[in-house]
Amino acid sequence: MPRGNMPRQPSRSGRQEGVRRVDRVPSKTVSAPKARRSPALPGTMLKASAPKSAPKKKFAAGYNPLDPERVRQILATLDQLYPNVTCALTHHSAWELLVATILSAQCTDARVNMVTPGLFEKYRTVQDFAALKPEQLEPDIRSTGFFRNKSKSVVGAARKIVSDFGGEVPQTMEELLTLPGVARKTANVVLGTWFKKNDGIVVDTHVTRIARRLELTRQDDPQKIEQDLMQIIPRERWTDFAHQLIWHGRKLCLARGPKCSDCALEKLCHAADKTWSTVEIHKGAKA
Ligand code: SF4
């Protein structure tokens, strides 16, 4: 049996902790074959397979992963699963969010949230950070990893904000990208979460993985993934959509061993590395 397609029983509860239970959004356009019951394993759902004589097809007949109705169903399900989601990084200003996002690279949000309260208590303003040498900051952020580079980025960003932007975090993508250590992902977090501007879509490891599993993109470069998603997700949804995928990636759609039997998106998802499936698996749909 192919790796990653091992059928297993759904959990007794049918849900994971922290995830809202939802009725699955009825699918109108996905025409994948229905799963059948195994006589050997009563109650176990088997992966549906095409007849042996059928020619190999990229997708089931009529199936378009980017069909607007399918995308609408995915968005509606995410809304039910993760209403009112926001950034998990603790912050009280655009500057604090910018710093926290820089520190979150290759680090968990939980770890960053343990570090930042003391950090912002010690250095209260962007001017305080700008007055530091990067080496002075290193001990305070050491536990977030890559602390030397992060210290240079935070101090460099603070100096640039003080010298070029009057001490205020700039509010445009173009200006944010001039700050040391700030690329599109960080800029999108600040613009979307603090300034409520949908200038782009945050593409982190969770968004990358789930967008590929759901066949919303076939790219693996973050900028190309963002461009693909911006084509199919309504602009007013960009910020929330990214937050929802990030939460889904943490709760259910894990990198290894996604909890597909508990996932309300299961009928819409044909990912090759699903752990449980009632619909056709697509080899191209993988994390
Ligand atoms: S069905 Fe599985 S792989 Fe697909 S989105 Fe849900 S958890 Fe992820």
Side-chain angles (χ1 to χ4, degrees):
M1 185 170 293
R3 187 170 172 267
N5 291 336
M6 291 289 289
R8 70 178 176 85
Q9 293 280 9
S11 70
R12 288 181 184 278
S13 65
R15 61 177 298 194
Q16 288 299 119
E17 187 182 352
V19 180
R20 287 186 58 167
R21 185 176 193 140
V22 298
D23 294 329
R24 291 185 176 155
V25 176
S27 170
K28 294 179 185 171
T29 57
V30 177
S31 57
K34 289 180 180 173
R36 56 191 169 83
R37 301 249 172 211
S38 163
L41 296 170
T44 300
M45 305 301 286
L46 289 181
K47 183 185 80 171
S49 57
K52 281 182 182 171
S53 58
K56 283 189 177 178
K57 290 180 183 173
K58 213 169 186 179
F59 301 117
Y63 173 72
N64 172 12
L66 305 183
D67 185 291
E69 176 58 19
R70 177 177 185 267
V71 173
R72 187 199 66 76
Q73 290 172 11
I74 290 171
L75 295 177
T77 307
L78 288 171
D79 277 348
Q80 291 178 64
L81 283 171
Y82 309 106
N84 309 316
V85 287
T86 189
C87 182
L89 293 167
T90 305
H91 61 278
H92 304 92
S93 67
W95 168 245
E96 289 190 6
L97 180 57
L98 179 64
V99 173
T101 309
I102 291 172
L103 298 183
S104 71
Q106 306 292 318
C107 180
T108 64
D109 289 354
R111 166 58 59 185
V112 173
N113 288 340
M114 291 169 68
V115 167
T116 48
L119 185 66
F120 297 129
E121 183 70 27
K122 189 171 178 181
Y123 307 109
R124 291 179 170 267
T125 66
V126 64
Q127 286 79 7
D128 291 341
F129 283 89
L132 294 173
K133 291 178 181 171
E135 307 84 76
Q136 291 176 276
L137 189 59
E138 289 176 3
D140 299 295
I141 64 169
R142 190 181 193 98
S143 65
T144 67
F146 302 96
F147 58 92
R148 291 196 179 88
N149 279 342
K150 289 178 182 178
S151 294
K152 285 179 192 158
S153 295
V154 170
V155 172
R159 289 176 181 171
K160 181 89 174 169
I161 288 170
V162 170
S163 64
D164 292 11
F165 300 106
E168 300 291 332
V169 175
Q171 299 188 28
T172 68
M173 176 67 74
E174 193 180 14
E175 290 171 322
L176 280 166
L177 292 179
T178 67
L179 304 178
V182 175
R184 278 195 70 90
K185 188 188 96 172
T186 301
N188 276 327
V189 170
V190 174
L191 288 173
T193 302
W194 185 262
F195 294 116
K196 310 298 181 197
K197 289 184 175 181
N198 285 309
D199 266 22
I201 297 177
V202 174
V203 177
D204 72 348
T205 181
H206 299 295
V207 175
T208 297
R209 182 174 69 254
I210 300 170
R212 285 173 56 86
R213 280 176 171 161
L214 290 174
E215 301 169 276
L216 301 179
T217 183
R218 286 179 165 257
Q219 303 290 343
D220 47 23
D221 172 72
Q223 288 208 23
K224 290 178 180 171
I225 292 171
E226 185 184 1
Q227 290 304 314
D228 280 355
L229 295 177
M230 287 163 69
Q231 298 290 321
I232 57 171
I233 306 299
R235 184 169 190 142
E236 67 273 14
R237 295 291 312 260
W238 287 355
T239 300
D240 290 345
F241 173 73
H243 287 319
Q244 288 170 331
L245 287 199
I246 291 167
W247 279 102
H248 193 52
R250 288 181 180 139
K251 298 289 184 186
L252 290 174
C253 197
L254 310 178
R256 292 185 184 176
K259 301 179 188 301
C260 304
S261 60
D262 296 332
C263 178
L265 290 166
E266 193 276 320
K267 286 197 183 307
L268 294 164
C269 176
H270 304 267
D273 55 348
K274 284 174 80 174
T275 52
W276 188 79
S277 190
T278 62
V279 295
E280 185 182 42
I281 294 297
H282 297 163
K283 288 181 183 173
K286 47 192 171 187

